[in-house]
Amino acid sequence: MRITVCLTDTRPESWIEGLRAALPDAEVSAWTPDAAPADHAVVWAPPQAFMDQQPSLRGIFNIGAGVDALTKLRLPPEARIVRLDDAGMSVQMAEYVCHALIRHFRDFDGYAADARDGRWSYRKPNVRQDFPVGVMGLGVLGQRVAKAVAQFDFPVKGWTRSPKQIEGVQCFAGHAQLDAFLAASRVVVCLLPLTPDTRGILRRETLQKLHGGRPGGYVINVARGGHLVEADLIPLLDDGSLAGATLDVFETEPLPADHPFWRHPKIDVTPHASARTQREESIAQIAGKIRAVEAGGDFDRIAGVVDPQRGY
Ligand code: NDP
Ligand code: OXD
């Protein structure tokens, strides 16, 4: 069995070494344009040329959870995309979202400013029941985030494609219930996959519905930059419709140096760092799935296989 590794912006050596150790019978090598056809690929954002030159691929194992960089490509006819299934990311995402939420709710930036001025003064506490948190997408990451937020006694709402019942989460589903979900949420956390259905879902029209249309809505986007219509955000912050935003992902990454998000006082920016791929855990997960496929020859036996119709 041959495995080819093609990782944009990531050095492949440690991945190759780890995969060779985990799958001693496999031939594992870095992809080059003249490489022999492989059975499986381990990838991050490969170019179209990679897919065109690997017609025999059966498994395309993505080293992330989001597969939007793959679903936009023309894939080999038999190939199935397999996403990472948590592999150490959900706990990081829960930490990140809880940090952003609590920093805003407790006004820790205000206390930090006071501390810089040597000022000892209390800020009026916010009321938790007035801060319902709406999580868009209750998949592997969204469910973990919803549970973590609920641990701090915030009311939690969730929005998904198919109806769900999750203890402690008021669930909404489909476009018919999107407005009700937005109205019931003050803080919105985006953990959707980027698909044609979800691109631009955070835009003027939807963001204005947060918190029942009252001022004070807050946006946390940790999914993909394409979910947010970037040009719509700053006017809503500047006219007071929204209270702030924490953004980890952007339409263009790295975020260009002259982008206004960097310096806006109500926006906190991080460099697509909310949940980093954990190499050891990911290699173990991918190797386990390749072994299972090779033993049974069937992708339906493993978790994380992307449905090409849904795009996630
Ligand atoms: P999952 O595929 O496990 O979950 C996706 C969720 O989104 C599901 O609940 C699904 O609904 C819901 N959903 C999909 N389409 C729609 C729609 N049209 N309307 C309503 N709900 C929809 O994904 P993960 O939780 O693993 O990851 C989510 C995303 O997070 C990734 O796609 C990636 O873009 C991003 N990510 C970002 C990282 C970062 O560092 N910033 C790191 C890792 C991931 P249903 O349950 O009904 O299918
Ligand atoms: C992912 C990511 O999709 O890191 O896993 O963004």
Side-chain angles (χ1 to χ4, degrees):
M1 173 200 12
R2 276 208 187 93
I3 300 175
T4 182
V5 178
C6 180
L7 307 176
T8 300
D9 295 335
T10 301
R11 293 174 64 82
E13 291 82 359
S14 311
W15 286 86
I16 292 171
E17 203 180 300
L19 287 162
R20 281 181 181 151
L23 296 165
D25 295 335
E27 257 180 63
V28 187
S29 54
W31 176 71
T32 54
D34 55 352
D39 304 288
H40 301 290
V42 175
V43 301
W44 181 250
Q48 180 62 53
F50 170 81
M51 295 298 171
D52 294 344
Q53 290 164 19
Q54 287 294 328
S56 318
L57 285 181
R58 289 184 287 130
I60 301 175
F61 293 85
N62 190 44
I63 67 159
V67 294
D68 43 294
L70 296 174
T71 51
K72 70 181 184 191
L73 301 178
R74 232 178 11 263
L75 303 180
E78 303 299 322
R80 306 292 303 269
I81 298 174
V82 187
R83 47 151 300 173
L84 273 189
D85 216 3
D86 193 338
M89 279 190 282
S90 73
V91 65
Q92 298 176 66
M93 202 53 105
E95 266 165 16
Y96 182 100
V97 171
C98 288
H99 175 268
L101 167 67
I102 292 167
R103 176 178 171 183
H104 174 60
F105 174 69
R106 297 288 302 270
D107 196 5
F108 283 132
D109 286 347
Y111 281 114
D114 287 349
R116 279 193 296 275
D117 294 343
R119 192 166 45 242
W120 180 278
S121 72
Y122 294 106
R123 286 162 181 272
K124 186 166 177 281
N126 283 311
V127 176
R128 210 171 297 270
Q129 289 309 311
D130 292 344
F131 269 75
V133 177
V135 183
M136 303 182 94
L138 294 171
V140 175
L141 303 182
Q143 286 206 30
R144 178 76 182 245
V145 164
K147 282 196 187 114
V149 167
Q151 286 271 313
F152 290 104
D153 294 347
F154 289 94
V156 184
K157 322 285 169 184
W159 184 67
T160 51
R161 208 173 53 93
S162 53
K164 297 256 177 306
Q165 283 196 330
I166 299 172
E167 203 188 325
V169 181
Q170 186 186 358
C171 293
F172 299 80
H175 276 279
Q177 294 184 356
L178 178 58
D179 283 0
F181 163 80
L182 293 167
S185 305
R186 179 165 182 169
V187 177
V188 69
V189 180
C190 183
L191 270 167
L192 294 166
L194 185 63
T195 66
D197 276 350
T198 65
R199 176 170 282 284
I201 193 126
L202 301 174
R203 56 183 182 275
R204 169 173 275 278
E205 175 206 345
T206 49
L207 294 174
Q208 279 176 327
K209 291 178 179 156
L210 278 179
H211 197 30
R214 284 165 288 153
Y218 192 90
V219 178
I220 301 176
N221 188 15
V222 278
R224 285 292 182 265
H227 288 121
L228 173 68
V229 176
E230 293 189 346
D232 287 356
L233 182 64
I234 288 183
L236 292 171
L237 293 169
D238 288 347
D239 73 12
S241 307
L242 292 177
T246 293
L247 306 176
D248 185 49
V249 287
F250 306 91
E251 192 69 76
T252 302
E253 296 182 4
L255 187 64
D258 59 354
H259 198 292
F261 284 176
W262 281 116
R263 275 162 287 278
H264 196 282
K266 293 184 180 170
I267 300 179
D268 287 304
V269 165
T270 51
H272 199 140
S274 52
R276 305 291 307 277
T277 295
Q278 303 296 296
R279 193 175 56 233
E280 303 304 320
E281 275 183 80
S282 303
I283 288 173
Q285 185 178 109
I286 291 169
K289 289 179 180 179
I290 291 177
R291 263 187 243 111
V293 167
E294 288 298 313
D298 186 357
F299 278 85
D300 296 332
R301 292 158 57 106
I302 61 173
V305 179
V306 170
D307 175 341
Q309 301 307 322
R310 295 187 324 184
Y312 68 98

mmCIF file of all heavy atoms in Angstrom, residues 44 64-66 89 224 272 275 277, ligand 2:
data_model
loop_
_atom_site.group_PDB
_atom_site.id
_atom_site.type_symbol
_atom_site.label_atom_id
_atom_site.label_comp_id
_atom_site.label_asym_id
_atom_site.label_seq_id
_atom_site.Cartn_x
_atom_site.Cartn_y
_atom_site.Cartn_z
ATOM 1 N N TRP A 44 -3.335 18.513 3.490
ATOM 2 C CA TRP A 44 -3.930 19.761 3.928
ATOM 3 C C TRP A 44 -3.875 20.722 2.731
ATOM 4 O O TRP A 44 -2.793 20.989 2.195
ATOM 5 C CB TRP A 44 -3.200 20.358 5.142
ATOM 6 C CG TRP A 44 -3.853 21.636 5.592
ATOM 7 C CD1 TRP A 44 -3.344 22.897 5.482
ATOM 8 C CD2 TRP A 44 -5.145 21.780 6.208
ATOM 9 N NE1 TRP A 44 -4.237 23.810 5.987
ATOM 10 C CE2 TRP A 44 -5.356 23.151 6.441
ATOM 11 C CE3 TRP A 44 -6.164 20.869 6.573
ATOM 12 C CZ2 TRP A 44 -6.530 23.643 7.021
ATOM 13 C CZ3 TRP A 44 -7.323 21.361 7.152
ATOM 14 C CH2 TRP A 44 -7.490 22.726 7.378
ATOM 15 N N GLY A 64 -7.259 18.098 9.139
ATOM 16 C CA GLY A 64 -8.090 19.056 9.858
ATOM 17 C C GLY A 64 -9.520 18.551 9.847
ATOM 18 O O GLY A 64 -9.836 17.541 9.193
ATOM 19 N N ALA A 65 -10.397 19.313 10.549
ATOM 20 C CA ALA A 65 -11.817 18.928 10.599
ATOM 21 C C ALA A 65 -12.579 19.496 9.406
ATOM 22 O O ALA A 65 -13.500 18.863 8.890
ATOM 23 C CB ALA A 65 -12.436 19.417 11.902
ATOM 24 N N GLY A 66 -12.202 20.682 8.976
ATOM 25 C CA GLY A 66 -12.918 21.343 7.874
ATOM 26 C C GLY A 66 -12.352 20.885 6.539
ATOM 27 O O GLY A 66 -11.135 20.884 6.337
ATOM 28 N N MET A 89 -8.829 18.385 19.168
ATOM 29 C CA MET A 89 -9.222 19.759 18.815
ATOM 30 C C MET A 89 -10.388 20.279 19.649
ATOM 31 O O MET A 89 -10.478 21.476 19.915
ATOM 32 C CB MET A 89 -9.567 19.846 17.321
ATOM 33 C CG MET A 89 -8.326 19.982 16.462
ATOM 34 S SD MET A 89 -8.707 20.363 14.759
ATOM 35 C CE MET A 89 -9.205 18.785 14.176
ATOM 36 N N ARG A 224 -14.836 29.280 9.675
ATOM 37 C CA ARG A 224 -14.116 29.703 8.468
ATOM 38 C C ARG A 224 -14.444 31.170 8.204
ATOM 39 O O ARG A 224 -15.566 31.618 8.455
ATOM 40 C CB ARG A 224 -14.540 28.867 7.259
ATOM 41 C CG ARG A 224 -13.972 27.451 7.239
ATOM 42 C CD ARG A 224 -12.454 27.429 7.023
ATOM 43 N NE ARG A 224 -11.929 26.076 6.964
ATOM 44 C CZ ARG A 224 -11.402 25.411 8.001
ATOM 45 N NH1 ARG A 224 -11.328 25.976 9.195
ATOM 46 N NH2 ARG A 224 -10.920 24.193 7.829
ATOM 47 N N HIS A 272 -6.013 31.998 13.307
ATOM 48 C CA HIS A 272 -6.478 30.627 13.031
ATOM 49 C C HIS A 272 -5.786 29.651 13.995
ATOM 50 O O HIS A 272 -5.140 28.680 13.578
ATOM 51 C CB HIS A 272 -6.209 30.243 11.569
ATOM 52 C CG HIS A 272 -7.050 29.083 11.103
ATOM 53 N ND1 HIS A 272 -7.626 29.029 9.861
ATOM 54 C CD2 HIS A 272 -7.424 27.934 11.717
ATOM 55 C CE1 HIS A 272 -8.295 27.890 9.718
ATOM 56 N NE2 HIS A 272 -8.183 27.206 10.845
ATOM 57 N N ALA A 275 -8.039 25.948 17.511
ATOM 58 C CA ALA A 275 -7.883 24.501 17.748
ATOM 59 C C ALA A 275 -6.867 23.972 16.741
ATOM 60 O O ALA A 275 -7.193 23.764 15.575
ATOM 61 C CB ALA A 275 -9.219 23.794 17.589
ATOM 62 N N THR A 277 -4.208 21.362 15.003
ATOM 63 C CA THR A 277 -4.081 19.914 14.784
ATOM 64 C C THR A 277 -2.977 19.358 15.685
ATOM 65 O O THR A 277 -1.882 19.910 15.745
ATOM 66 C CB THR A 277 -3.737 19.642 13.299
ATOM 67 O OG1 THR A 277 -4.841 20.060 12.508
ATOM 68 C CG2 THR A 277 -3.458 18.170 13.045
HETATM 69 C C1 OXD B 2 -9.462 22.521 10.741
HETATM 70 C C2 OXD B 2 -8.714 23.738 10.979
HETATM 71 O O1 OXD B 2 -10.385 22.516 9.934
HETATM 72 O O2 OXD B 2 -7.625 23.668 11.596
HETATM 73 O O3 OXD B 2 -9.142 21.506 11.382
HETATM 74 O O4 OXD B 2 -9.174 24.794 10.606
#
